[in-house]
Amino acid sequence: MEADKRQKAADERRLYEEAMSKGYVETSVTKCLILGAAGVGKTHLKHLLLKKDPPGQRVSTGLADNPVRAISFSLAGVGGQVEDDWFVVEDDQALLKVVGVTIRDGGVSMATSLDEVVSSFPKMNIHVSSDGAGAVHPDPTPARVNTTMDSGQQSRTVSIEEELIHHINHSSDKEKLFGVKWIHFIGSGGQLQYHDILPLFILKPAVTIFVLNLSVELSHQPITQYYRADSKPVNRPYRSSLSHKQILQNCLGAMCSQDAQPMIIIVGTHRDAADSCSESIEEKSQKLKALLDAGSFRIVYNGEDLEEVIFAVNGKTPLDEDRHVAKVLREEIVSVCPQSIKMPIAWFGLEVFLRRSSHNGILSLEECQVCAKRLHIEGDAFSAALHHLVHHNVFLHYPVVLPQIVFCDPQVVLTKVTELVEYHYKLLYRPDERVAAKGDLVKFRDHGLLSVQLLSTFSKHYDEGLFTPYDLLKLLVSVGAIAMVSVCGEYLMPALLPHLVSDKVSKYCQPGTSLIIMPTQGRIPSGLFCCLVAHLLSPTNQSPWKVCMKRNKPLCLYRNCITFQLKFTTNLVTLVDFFSYILLHVDNMASTVCREMRDCVHSGIKSACGILKYQDVQFEDAFMCAGTSCTSDPPHVATVVSKKKWRCSIVENQCGDLSEGQLMWFCESGVTKQDPSATGTVPVSLDSEPSLQHLMEKVAAVIPSKYEMVGLQLGLTLAQLQAICPQHQRLEDYHRAFGEIFDVWRRRGSPPYTWRTLIDVLRSASVSEVLLSDQLTSWITQ
């Protein structure tokens, strides 16, 4: 598998070099993410940075709003400096105008300043044509840019597409045609639900601006209110479960996990009300600096003394001093622009064509191929170009679960998730909506449970035959946002669950011999715990867990605290997110169970870090320190330095032996030795033979009631099934029936006893378990 990856990378590099022979564009993309609690003024700050008037209405930002792009030019060898004159591009039509001016013969090639370029933008007009289905055809009236030059007042019409194709066909050297630097400003929602979901979609921002309210203390838990587009509230106000400081700590945890040194800027809003707070700006700055110094950040200081880390502004009613601060921040953001990437002109042209041709921000892979064919990009070259655009731009493509869909605008996916959170708010906090909720809506409101039927009620951005509610479900499963929890097609979205206050957590677990799993540096990154829960509940997990139920209701189901029951056992396991560590508690401790649970959680954390692209985060085991001579307060941890020793994290040279209960998390005694193929420790492929344990865990446990249809597809006769079926009427009997069916299939060997056969069976019309087959394929081929 590694050899295949290396060969694929080598092939893509060769195709890239071939495409470069036609000329290239130097381009760079800097993602600037604006974070903070709800209602602190993030949107007002974004408007201030972009030199726009403050928004007139109060509207809650979704999971993340459509990226607003600021542009810098390097044209025909002439460097255009952004300085403080940013041109803002808010839609793809404006992007095409920029491209049209940049590539036209004459005009821009003679430009000596950004002002000369920007001055021609208002005189442009874009005409786009496509058929009703959004398919791309050779356009008899291609998009054109009509410009009037200031020198001589000569009017000229240039086709963007024709000009790009001209460059591609006539450039024979590896010459730089022009350069573009983009800065994407991404405002995010302040609700905590968004903070846990955002890292799944917005990966590795180069700059993070954290916004806090200067009129309240850092320990203040902000009031959360959600507003519609007409400024009317969606829900009753409620107090956030985390303070401003804790929210920042979670954000820093995510930033610490990136594979590059991120820039952090802290902005304090409500500058005019800062004096009314008992905690001064200087005191806030000292506390925040202590947090920042603990991580490997590129900190932007307000001044040269390297002490003040807060930039104070008024975003709602900005004055000259606020605009000056915004100018300073813009200069800092420009300075962090990554090194330019050389993009072949044909691939740059493909990006332009795809943006122009997309309808609702979505294109089928076939439509993308038609666009590429016009630029002579076909076969493997097309795959390499698309991979390049996804890796270096804001396109989204999920080849494993949605191979036929390309999202030219990420807002399509972000808006769907936003709709879920907003609707959940309505059901929770609006009395009329809460009373009217019935059936699936009650499960969604109280337990964060989704279904295809529920997703079908949100029509925006769906495209019949291309992007459906079922496709959205597959996408959310693949990124770790949801997990299947029942055979009835119900999926849990952990980020939607309520938060359990810390003083009530002790009801579900005791820290005595509970295992603590903590990052070696910093705090638990945002989104990791919810992604971990989704992994543990996934039917493709090696040791599937399930939410513990009592009288048809979850025993403990919160965003930060969940009690599980291991399938086929009575053991209860509770996971708690304490933000600086994860606590793992088993009610009936035994060495076999504890060791297995510890390994499962570590495996889940590794999987979640992979999904979230957290490359540098490392975790270690620990317990609450109970050293007899250790008097440090508050309670703290003792890290495990071997399988028998602990060491206090605060008091130097304070160490000791692990207790008998603590040793159970690491003890191998009593563990039954099993065949490696049965435990899943050996690699599997689609053509390998599945173990009975895997079949029972990954198929029988997920779709127990479909054993008859699966048996028929596997070639069992009606007589064989009739001999099995009457004996199995309860859930545990269904499992036994599946076991007998799999055993018959294994002994017969026909059809071939492989994972590929089973996946084909699951995809068949009679079984109709395409999502489960996709999950199995992903697990096997990862």
Side-chain angles (χ1 to χ4, degrees), residues 612-632:
L612 293 161
K613 299 296 187 292
Y614 291 159
Q615 304 294 333
D616 296 334
V617 63
Q618 300 293 327
F619 284 79
E620 60 184 351
D621 297 316
F623 296 96
M624 294 306 297
C625 186
T628 55
S629 60
C630 184
T631 58
S632 296

Short mmCIF file of all heavy atoms in Angstrom, two decimals, residues 612-632:
data_model
loop_
_atom_site.label_atom_id
_atom_site.label_comp_id
_atom_site.label_asym_id
_atom_site.label_seq_id
_atom_site.Cartn_x
_atom_site.Cartn_y
_atom_site.Cartn_z
N LEU A 612 -8.73 15.24 11.74
CA LEU A 612 -8.62 16.68 11.99
C LEU A 612 -7.28 17.25 11.54
O LEU A 612 -7.06 18.46 11.68
CB LEU A 612 -8.82 16.96 13.49
CG LEU A 612 -10.22 16.67 14.04
CD1 LEU A 612 -10.19 16.52 15.55
CD2 LEU A 612 -11.18 17.74 13.62
N LYS A 613 -6.40 16.41 11.01
CA LYS A 613 -5.07 16.82 10.56
C LYS A 613 -4.26 17.43 11.70
O LYS A 613 -3.48 18.36 11.51
CB LYS A 613 -5.18 17.83 9.40
CG LYS A 613 -5.90 17.27 8.18
CD LYS A 613 -5.13 16.13 7.56
CE LYS A 613 -5.73 15.64 6.23
NZ LYS A 613 -7.03 14.98 6.40
N TYR A 614 -4.41 16.88 12.91
CA TYR A 614 -3.60 17.29 14.05
C TYR A 614 -2.34 16.40 14.05
O TYR A 614 -2.36 15.27 14.52
CB TYR A 614 -4.36 17.11 15.36
CG TYR A 614 -5.52 18.06 15.54
CD1 TYR A 614 -6.56 17.76 16.43
CD2 TYR A 614 -5.59 19.26 14.85
CE1 TYR A 614 -7.62 18.64 16.61
CE2 TYR A 614 -6.64 20.14 15.02
CZ TYR A 614 -7.66 19.83 15.90
OH TYR A 614 -8.72 20.69 16.08
N GLN A 615 -1.26 16.93 13.51
CA GLN A 615 -0.09 16.11 13.24
C GLN A 615 0.84 15.97 14.44
O GLN A 615 1.46 14.93 14.62
CB GLN A 615 0.70 16.72 12.06
CG GLN A 615 -0.12 16.90 10.79
CD GLN A 615 -0.55 15.59 10.19
OE1 GLN A 615 0.10 14.57 10.36
NE2 GLN A 615 -1.66 15.61 9.47
N ASP A 616 0.97 17.01 15.24
CA ASP A 616 2.03 17.03 16.25
C ASP A 616 1.56 16.73 17.66
O ASP A 616 2.33 16.81 18.60
CB ASP A 616 2.73 18.40 16.24
CG ASP A 616 3.43 18.67 14.92
OD1 ASP A 616 3.80 17.69 14.26
OD2 ASP A 616 3.60 19.85 14.56
N VAL A 617 0.29 16.42 17.86
CA VAL A 617 -0.21 16.21 19.21
C VAL A 617 0.12 14.79 19.67
O VAL A 617 -0.04 13.83 18.93
CB VAL A 617 -1.74 16.47 19.27
CG1 VAL A 617 -2.49 15.50 18.41
CG2 VAL A 617 -2.23 16.41 20.72
N GLN A 618 0.64 14.67 20.88
CA GLN A 618 0.98 13.38 21.49
C GLN A 618 0.25 13.25 22.82
O GLN A 618 0.08 14.24 23.54
CB GLN A 618 2.50 13.27 21.71
CG GLN A 618 3.33 13.39 20.44
CD GLN A 618 3.13 12.23 19.50
OE1 GLN A 618 2.90 11.10 19.95
NE2 GLN A 618 3.22 12.48 18.20
N PHE A 619 -0.18 12.03 23.15
CA PHE A 619 -0.92 11.80 24.39
C PHE A 619 -0.17 10.82 25.29
O PHE A 619 0.57 9.96 24.81
CB PHE A 619 -2.32 11.25 24.08
CG PHE A 619 -3.28 12.29 23.57
CD1 PHE A 619 -3.24 12.69 22.25
CD2 PHE A 619 -4.21 12.86 24.41
CE1 PHE A 619 -4.10 13.66 21.77
CE2 PHE A 619 -5.09 13.83 23.95
CZ PHE A 619 -5.03 14.23 22.63
N GLU A 620 -0.37 10.98 26.60
CA GLU A 620 0.25 10.09 27.57
C GLU A 620 -0.76 9.71 28.63
O GLU A 620 -1.79 10.38 28.82
CB GLU A 620 1.46 10.77 28.22
CG GLU A 620 1.13 12.05 28.96
CD GLU A 620 2.38 12.75 29.50
OE1 GLU A 620 3.46 12.15 29.43
OE2 GLU A 620 2.25 13.89 29.99
N ASP A 621 -0.48 8.62 29.35
CA ASP A 621 -1.36 8.14 30.42
C ASP A 621 -0.98 8.78 31.75
O ASP A 621 0.19 9.09 32.01
CB ASP A 621 -1.27 6.62 30.54
CG ASP A 621 -1.73 5.92 29.27
OD1 ASP A 621 -2.77 6.33 28.72
OD2 ASP A 621 -1.05 4.96 28.84
N ALA A 622 -2.00 8.95 32.61
CA ALA A 622 -1.75 9.55 33.93
C ALA A 622 -2.89 9.16 34.86
O ALA A 622 -3.90 8.57 34.44
CB ALA A 622 -1.66 11.08 33.82
N PHE A 623 -2.71 9.47 36.15
CA PHE A 623 -3.74 9.31 37.17
C PHE A 623 -3.76 10.57 38.03
O PHE A 623 -2.80 11.36 38.00
CB PHE A 623 -3.46 8.09 38.05
CG PHE A 623 -3.49 6.78 37.32
CD1 PHE A 623 -2.32 6.20 36.84
CD2 PHE A 623 -4.68 6.12 37.08
CE1 PHE A 623 -2.33 5.00 36.16
CE2 PHE A 623 -4.71 4.92 36.39
CZ PHE A 623 -3.53 4.35 35.93
N MET A 624 -4.81 10.77 38.79
CA MET A 624 -4.80 11.87 39.75
C MET A 624 -3.74 11.58 40.80
O MET A 624 -3.65 10.47 41.33
CB MET A 624 -6.17 12.01 40.42
CG MET A 624 -7.28 12.42 39.47
SD MET A 624 -6.94 13.94 38.53
CE MET A 624 -6.82 15.15 39.85
N CYS A 625 -2.90 12.58 41.08
CA CYS A 625 -1.78 12.38 41.99
C CYS A 625 -2.29 12.17 43.41
O CYS A 625 -3.12 12.92 43.91
CB CYS A 625 -0.85 13.59 41.95
SG CYS A 625 0.66 13.37 42.91
N ALA A 626 -1.77 11.12 44.05
CA ALA A 626 -2.17 10.81 45.43
C ALA A 626 -0.95 10.56 46.29
O ALA A 626 -0.99 9.75 47.22
CB ALA A 626 -3.10 9.60 45.44
N GLY A 627 0.15 11.24 45.97
CA GLY A 627 1.36 11.06 46.75
C GLY A 627 1.17 11.53 48.19
O GLY A 627 0.61 12.59 48.45
N THR A 628 1.66 10.75 49.15
CA THR A 628 1.44 11.07 50.57
C THR A 628 2.14 12.35 50.98
O THR A 628 1.67 13.06 51.87
CB THR A 628 1.95 9.91 51.44
OG1 THR A 628 3.32 9.65 51.10
CG2 THR A 628 1.12 8.65 51.19
N SER A 629 3.26 12.68 50.33
CA SER A 629 3.99 13.91 50.69
C SER A 629 3.70 15.05 49.73
O SER A 629 4.36 16.08 49.77
CB SER A 629 5.50 13.62 50.71
OG SER A 629 5.93 13.18 49.43
N CYS A 630 2.73 14.84 48.84
CA CYS A 630 2.41 15.86 47.84
C CYS A 630 1.24 16.70 48.35
O CYS A 630 0.14 16.20 48.53
CB CYS A 630 2.05 15.20 46.51
SG CYS A 630 1.76 16.40 45.19
N THR A 631 1.49 17.96 48.59
CA THR A 631 0.45 18.85 49.15
C THR A 631 0.04 19.93 48.16
O THR A 631 -0.60 20.91 48.52
CB THR A 631 0.97 19.52 50.44
OG1 THR A 631 2.17 20.25 50.14
CG2 THR A 631 1.25 18.46 51.50
N SER A 632 0.44 19.79 46.89
CA SER A 632 0.13 20.83 45.90
C SER A 632 -1.37 20.93 45.68
O SER A 632 -2.10 19.93 45.68
CB SER A 632 0.83 20.51 44.58
OG SER A 632 2.22 20.56 44.75
#
